[in-house]
Amino acid sequence: MTISHHPDVATLMSCAAGSQPESLAAVVASHISMCPQCAAEVQKLEQIGVALFDAIATAPVVREAPVVAARALEADEDGSGGRPAEPGDVPAPLVSLVGRSLDEIAWKWLGPGVWHYPIPLSRRAAGDLRLYKLAPGQAVPEHGHGGEELTLLLRGSYRDEMGEFRTGDVADLDDEVEHRPIADATAGCICLVAREKRARFKGLLARFVQLVTGI
Amino acid sequence: MLQVAASPPLERRAPTFATTRAMADLLHRVAASGDIEAFRKLFQSYAPRVKAYMMRQGADANTAEELAQETLLTVWRKASLYSGDKGSATTWIYTIARNLRVDRLRKETAWQPLPASVEEQASSDPAPDEQLAEAERRERVQSALRELPGDQSEVVVLSYIEGLSHSEIADRLGLPLGTVKSRMRLAYQKIREALEDLR
C-alpha cells in the first residue's frame, strides 16, 4: 500500500500531545496503524511533550508515595505493537467498536448511493465519527465544516478538489475548505470520517437529509 | 504600548544526563526486582511534575495529586514493559500521564498507545549509550523550544501542556483555525532537526 496523503504535521503534533478531540484522534490512530512513517513521526513529536514536561514548574506533592505490593507487576504485553493493517480490513484501533471486517458492517442507508455507520464515542466527547460507504461514482453532497474534519480511506478511492485518495490516505481539512468527494467509478469507496462539529450541508435536499439523519 | 511577552516554554532548568541515567536505572530496578526504594525515588522525582502537568491541564490540586499517584502506580505496574529502546524513563512516564489525563480529565478514549519499539531489529546497544542519546536529544529539543518566537511557542505549550485542541487554541487566542495550524507547522520546522534521533 502506497500512502500519499498524510495528516498535516499540526494534526500529528496535537495527536502526540493527546489534545485532539476524540473523534479526530480515532482517525489519526487508525491511519497510524496503517502508516509506519506517521507512527514514527508521532513518536518523534511526543518528544516535544517530553521536553516541556521535563522542564515544567513543579507542584509540591503533599502525599507520600503510594504503597505498592512487591510482586504486583504486569507481565503481559500491552498489545500496542501493531502490524500495519491489511488493505480493506478495519484498522486495529476500531476493531473493538466495529468488528474486523468492512464486509460485516451493519450499514444504514443515508441517501441514493450513500450508506453510513455511526461509531459511538465516549459520552462526554463532542464531535462525530462514522464510516461512509459510497457507491461507484457517487458524490458526497457539497458541505463545509465547522472546525476540523479528517477522512481516512479504507477501501476503494475517491477524488476531490485536492486529488485522488486511496486506501490509507487521509484528507486533513479545516473549516475553510469545502470539498465534494466523488467515489471511484468502478470500486466506490469506504471511508472513516471524523468531524469536530456538525457538517453544513448545502442545498435544500441535502439539508433535509441532514435534518432527518442528524448528521 | 507595553507588549507583554508570552511566557517562555521551559520553566525551570532541565535535569542533566546524570539524572537521566539515574532515572532509567531506577525504572530498571523496579522492573527487574520490584525494588520499592527505587520506586519511591522515582515518585519523588516525577510526582511533582505530573501533578503540575495535570493542574495545567485543568485539574484542581486534589485531583492532580490523585492522578500523580495513579500515574506512578501505573509506572510501577507496567515497569516490565519498559525497555531502553522505548525512550527515556521521562518519555515513558510522560506518555502514561498523558493517556491518564485523556482518560480521567477529559473522560475520553486515549487512542495513542504507550511507546512501542519502532526499530525492527533488536537494539544491541548497551543501555548507557541509549540514555546518553536520549538526554542529548532532549537538550537539543529544549534548546530549540527556547528559541521559538513567542507566538509559536505559545501554541505549542497550549497544545502539549494545557491540552487544548486546535479549535480551542483558536478560540482562546481569538485567531482563525488556519493561523493556529500554521504557527504549529512553523514551530515544527524550527524544531524538526532537534527531534531527529541521531543513533
Side-chain angles (χ1 to χ4, degrees):
Chain A
M1 174 178 19
T2 311
I3 298 178
S4 35
H5 298 272
H6 301 273
D8 191 287
V9 74
T11 298
L12 295 178
M13 286 167 82
S14 190
C15 166
S19 301
Q20 290 193 294
E22 186 178 315
S23 58
L24 302 183
V27 176
V28 177
S30 298
H31 170 77
I32 282 172
S33 74
M34 303 161 86
C35 180
Q37 176 186 318
C38 285
E41 191 63 21
V42 168
Q43 272 217 336
K44 264 194 237 161
L45 293 170
E46 282 170 350
Q47 289 304 308
I48 298 176
V50 173
L52 291 170
F53 166 76
D54 196 38
I56 199 170
T58 55
V61 165
V62 174
R63 285 182 242 164
E64 300 267 309
V67 174
V68 286
R71 282 290 155 199
L73 300 172
E74 280 177 19
D76 50 318
E77 275 298 320
D78 58 350
S80 64
R83 287 164 285 117
E86 291 161 31
D89 286 355
V90 172
L94 297 180
V95 167
S96 61
L97 292 171
V98 305
R100 299 202 153 278
S101 168
L102 292 174
D103 294 316
E104 287 164 14
I105 308 279
W107 296 105
K108 304 176 198 203
W109 189 80
L110 185 55
V114 183
W115 294 261
H116 71 140
Y117 183 80
I119 298 176
L121 298 170
S122 302
R123 204 158 42 92
R124 274 178 44 171
D128 192 78
L129 180 70
R130 67 188 66 214
L131 292 166
Y132 285 92
K133 184 166 81 163
L134 302 182
Q138 182 62 42
V140 174
E142 203 172 322
H143 62 281
H145 325 105
E148 296 181 275
E149 176 178 286
L150 287 173
T151 302
L152 170 65
L153 267 294
L154 297 177
R155 181 185 283 177
S157 67
Y158 75 52
R159 179 175 287 284
D160 72 3
E161 293 83 343
M162 265 76 64
E164 185 166 1
F165 292 76
R166 299 185 193 86
T167 303
D169 283 333
V170 168
D172 184 343
L173 305 168
D174 61 35
D175 56 2
E176 296 304 304
V177 179
E178 300 190 345
H179 71 139
R180 195 155 188 266
I182 300 178
D184 180 78
T186 314
C189 74
I190 294 178
C191 54
L192 175 70
V193 181
R195 297 187 182 98
E196 273 193 287
K197 305 173 194 182
R198 294 174 49 153
R200 292 189 312 271
F201 283 95
K202 313 230 155 183
L204 269 177
L205 178 61
R207 289 216 199 174
F208 177 72
V209 170
Q210 183 174 21
L211 194 66
V212 165
T213 59
I215 294 179
Chain B
M1 185 172 72
L2 183 68
Q3 192 86 17
V4 179
S7 2
L10 304 186
E11 297 162 10
R12 67 186 186 109
R13 279 195 61 178
T16 61
F17 166 62
T19 316
T20 309
R21 273 282 300 275
M23 292 301 117
D25 185 58
L26 290 174
L27 194 45
H28 281 296
R29 277 160 54 188
V30 167
S33 53
D35 185 334
I36 293 181
E37 194 46 45
F39 172 72
R40 281 215 199 95
K41 289 195 179 128
L42 271 177
F43 181 88
Q44 274 158 22
S45 182
Y46 283 101
R49 275 177 280 185
V50 176
K51 180 176 176 180
Y53 171 74
M54 296 299 181
M55 289 180 73
R56 296 286 293 278
Q57 296 279 342
D60 62 80
N62 236 4
T63 306
E65 213 60 47
E66 278 173 26
L67 291 175
Q69 294 258 321
E70 207 176 321
T71 300
L72 271 296
L73 273 173
T74 304
V75 171
W76 168 264
R77 283 196 342 265
K78 290 190 185 286
S80 57
L81 297 176
Y82 170 76
S83 60
D85 65 342
K86 290 187 182 178
S88 62
T90 307
T91 298
W92 185 249
I93 294 170
Y94 162 77
T95 322
I96 291 173
R98 179 199 65 193
N99 287 8
L100 193 66
R101 149 249 167 175
V102 173
D103 185 59
R104 294 309 161 78
L105 288 183
R106 292 229 305 267
K107 304 221 177 8
E108 293 183 355
T109 304
W111 292 100
Q112 266 307 97
L114 296 179
S117 309
V118 179
E119 294 84 25
E120 295 195 61
Q121 65 276 21
S123 168
S124 56
D125 288 340
D129 288 350
E130 309 250 341
Q131 294 305 322
L132 175 59
E134 276 289 315
E136 286 180 343
R137 178 161 70 154
R138 187 161 347 126
E139 277 175 27
R140 286 198 306 274
V141 173
Q142 285 166 340
S143 180
L145 285 167
R146 271 192 292 265
E147 315 222 330
L148 286 178
D151 61 346
Q152 288 172 29
S153 66
E154 183 175 40
V155 298
V156 171
V157 170
L158 286 174
S159 176
Y160 280 91
I161 293 296
E162 296 200 24
L164 301 188
S165 68
H166 294 145
S167 292
E168 286 169 338
I169 296 174
D171 286 344
R172 170 83 70 94
L173 300 181
L175 295 172
L177 181 59
T179 304
V180 171
K181 290 179 82 167
S182 165
R183 288 186 188 178
M184 298 272 279
R185 282 193 290 269
L186 288 170
Y188 169 74
Q189 290 306 321
K190 296 210 167 66
I191 307 172
R192 68 186 298 179
E193 223 179 283
L195 287 170
E196 288 306 321
D197 189 349
L198 297 180
R199 273 176 286 174

